[in-house]
Structure formats: structure tokens, C-alpha cells
Amino acid sequence: MSELARPTTKTERRRRRRQPPLLHIAHDEGDGPVVILVHGIASSSVTFRQLIPLLQPRHRVIAIDILGFGQSPAPVDSEYTLEEHVAAIDATIRSLKLREPFTLVGHSLGSLIVSRLAAIEQARGISWLRWMRPARPSHVVLVGPPVYVAPSEIGDLRVRARVDAYLKAYNFLRANKEFTLLNASIISRLLPKGIFEVTEANWTPFVKSLENSIESQTLVSDIAALRVPVDVVYGSLDAFIAPGSMTVIERMRHVTMHRVEANDHIIRKRLARVVARAIDGEAVPVEQAAVAESAS
């Protein structure tokens, strides 16, 4: 019997199912140091529409749609865990066969994904096979990261109560589909298409990513483990960031914080300028961001 005609075994079929799918590359243009953009939940690479034009003149800019969103595949058997999201992004980046260090930029859920990916790449260490592996991230930029440490691990009672409230709200959204879809449709009509969309089509990726990636996150420990520069950019009006939740990250020596006044969770022009500066190592620290942006 020929190799093509030979029936596959259960083990082979199981191995094939475990292979992470390649994701949709929505944008890959420009020359220079590589910047890879990873968007968040219920969104697409349209998230970076204000940022890409600022980077493209001096960078190769690659924007990837995450698993289950945008034009990327949504496997029916996926649980949309952080591990699955990371594996799909990792496989897609490896398919590009990059050979130079690159900057990873994540927005919202994308922040959790790129932090975990960078931590995993670092943990793999240097081996005699290093020359066969693609380049690693040399810089991580997190935009609007939803930092939700387990309430039981938070000492400050006020911060604990705030984070607990956020987690309860997410549980409510997952448990009340009609309410969530109705309100999401109202919000999405106020924003450019692709920025925020929760529909019947992506309901499963949405609720599973929310529960298995955002609510069950490893962000703080991943950032703490990194030995590359980390920049965190967030809007002062970001409704997805619980007040006081970033304190533990702010204290890390390799992390630079950039707060952008009068900006919410969306990467608008003002926030996009700060992100672009952070990528190039030019952004100002948190206490100066408001002054710099109001003057520009």
C-alpha cells in the first residue's frame, strides 16, 4: 500500500489536531527592524490603524489576527486558552522565518499573549540548535494590559475589591449572552468596523478567551520573568484597567510605564504616538506623558 493510500492512525490524527493553526497576517509591509502587532479580544488588526502609519516609514510592520478573531481560523475544538493563543501566534511568527530580533506589541488580550510568548522563548534558553530557531523578541510593548491578579493574592483591600468586581462583571457577560450581544452591537456601531465586535459568529472564541485567557492569566509572572525591556502604555480613562492593579508591574526595574491622559482603551492618535515612541525607545515616562502629548 502506498504512503498516500495508507490510513492514518488515531495517534497521527491526534498529533495533527494538536498542530496550532497558522493565523491570518493582516499586514506585512515596510523595511527596517521588525515590529509584530497582536490585537485583543473581540477585535482584529484594525486595532492598529492609527499606529501602523507611524511605524511603517522605518519598520517592517506585521499585524496578526489572533485565533478566533478577524480573518484567522476559529477551530471548533479550541478552548481558547492562553496556551492555544500563544501557540498559534508562535507558529505564525516562525512561518515568517525571521532572523533578526523583533519587537512584540500586544493590545489588551494581545498583551497577555505576547508577554507569555516572550517568557516562553526566553525559558527555552540557548542550545546547540539555536542557529536553527527563528529570532527572539528583544523588546515587549504592552498596550492597555488588563492586569487581574487573583483577588486572594492582593494585599490592598481596595484594589482587591476592584479586581474582584471586574472578574464578576466578566462572569456576568459570559453568562448573559443576549445582554452581551445587544450591548456589544450598540458599542460596535460607534466604532470603526473591526475594533470591537461580539457576534454570534465569534461568541465562542469571545467567552472562552475571556474565561480561559484573560480571567486565567499569567501576565504579572511573565513580565517579572523577562530580561528584555518592557514598556507599558495605557490610557488614564481605560475602563478595563482596575485602579491600583498595575502597582506590582510599576515596581519592576525593567518596566517603563507610560500613562496617556484623556485616552481610553482604544489606540487613538494620542496613544498611538506614545506607543510608537516606546517602540523606538523615545517615549517619556508616566509622569511626563500628559505634558508631552498635550504639547504635540
Side-chain angles (χ1 to χ4, degrees):
M1 184 179 295
S2 69
E3 183 67 22
L4 291 177
R6 184 176 61 83
T8 57
T9 66
K10 288 184 179 180
T11 301
E12 290 172 327
R13 289 195 297 270
R14 199 175 297 118
R15 185 181 299 114
R16 289 178 183 177
R17 284 198 298 270
R18 284 198 299 265
Q19 291 295 318
L22 293 182
L23 304 175
H24 174 66
I25 297 176
H27 186 96
D28 185 353
E29 294 183 22
D31 294 309
V34 174
V35 177
I36 298 176
L37 308 176
V38 181
H39 67 83
I41 193 171
S43 190
S44 70
S45 292
V46 176
T47 292
F48 302 106
R49 74 197 190 289
Q50 300 288 356
L51 178 61
I52 289 174
L54 301 180
L55 300 176
Q56 198 162 298
R58 57 189 181 279
H59 291 281
R60 177 185 175 185
V61 184
I62 301 168
I64 303 174
D65 285 340
I66 67 172
L67 191 68
F69 298 97
Q71 296 183 48
S72 281
V76 294
D77 59 344
S78 177
E79 291 299 317
Y80 295 93
T81 61
L82 191 56
E83 288 74 16
E84 289 175 301
H85 278 296
V86 169
I89 287 288
D90 186 31
T92 304
I93 292 175
R94 287 172 181 272
S95 72
L96 296 171
K97 302 186 185 305
L98 303 176
R99 286 293 175 261
E100 298 297 327
F102 54 88
T103 296
L104 273 176
V105 181
H107 176 253
S108 194
L109 170 58
S111 294
L112 312 185
I113 295 172
V114 302
S115 297
R116 187 73 188 130
L117 175 58
I120 290 173
E121 277 296 315
Q122 181 176 275
R124 284 172 176 160
I126 300 176
S127 73
W128 67 279
L129 292 175
R130 177 66 184 92
W131 65 275
M132 297 178 61
R133 300 216 310 263
R136 292 176 175 175
S138 59
H139 184 195
V140 175
V141 179
L142 311 178
V143 186
V147 185
Y148 304 131
V149 180
S152 60
E153 299 178 10
I154 302 174
D156 189 313
L157 295 180
R158 290 173 299 178
V159 177
R160 181 189 302 179
R162 291 165 185 161
V163 171
D164 186 56
Y166 273 79
L167 296 177
K168 287 180 179 177
Y170 292 151
N171 183 64
F172 177 85
L173 294 177
R174 289 189 285 103
N176 293 271
K177 181 177 181 179
E178 291 185 5
F179 171 87
T180 302
L181 290 179
L182 175 60
N183 284 275
S185 68
I186 295 172
I187 295 173
S188 65
R189 286 197 291 269
L190 303 175
L191 301 171
K193 184 175 177 59
I195 292 293
F196 178 76
E197 294 183 343
V198 182
T199 65
E200 285 283 355
N202 70 6
W203 175 253
T204 297
F206 171 72
V207 295
K208 288 188 174 182
S209 293
L210 187 58
E211 181 177 15
N212 299 332
S213 292
I214 293 180
E215 297 175 51
S216 304
Q217 61 176 259
T218 58
L219 180 63
V220 173
S221 60
D222 288 335
I223 295 175
L226 292 176
R227 294 193 295 272
V228 299
V230 177
D231 284 87
V232 177
V233 184
Y234 66 99
S236 63
L237 303 178
D238 194 328
F240 294 96
I241 297 178
S245 62
M246 287 198 182
T247 302
V248 65
I249 294 175
E250 293 173 345
R251 295 171 179 168
M252 298 179 188
R253 292 184 178 180
H254 63 304
V255 176
T256 303
M257 305 294 294
H258 311 273
R259 186 184 66 223
V260 182
E261 298 298 330
N263 203 105
D264 53 17
H265 194 63
I266 298 172
I267 303 180
R268 304 182 190 277
K269 290 183 179 179
R270 176 179 293 186
L271 193 140
R273 289 196 294 269
V274 177
V275 173
R277 293 173 189 167
I279 290 170
D280 288 327
E282 300 173 357
V284 292
V286 60
E287 63 272 8
Q288 301 176 31
V291 176
E293 280 307 304
S294 62
S296 61

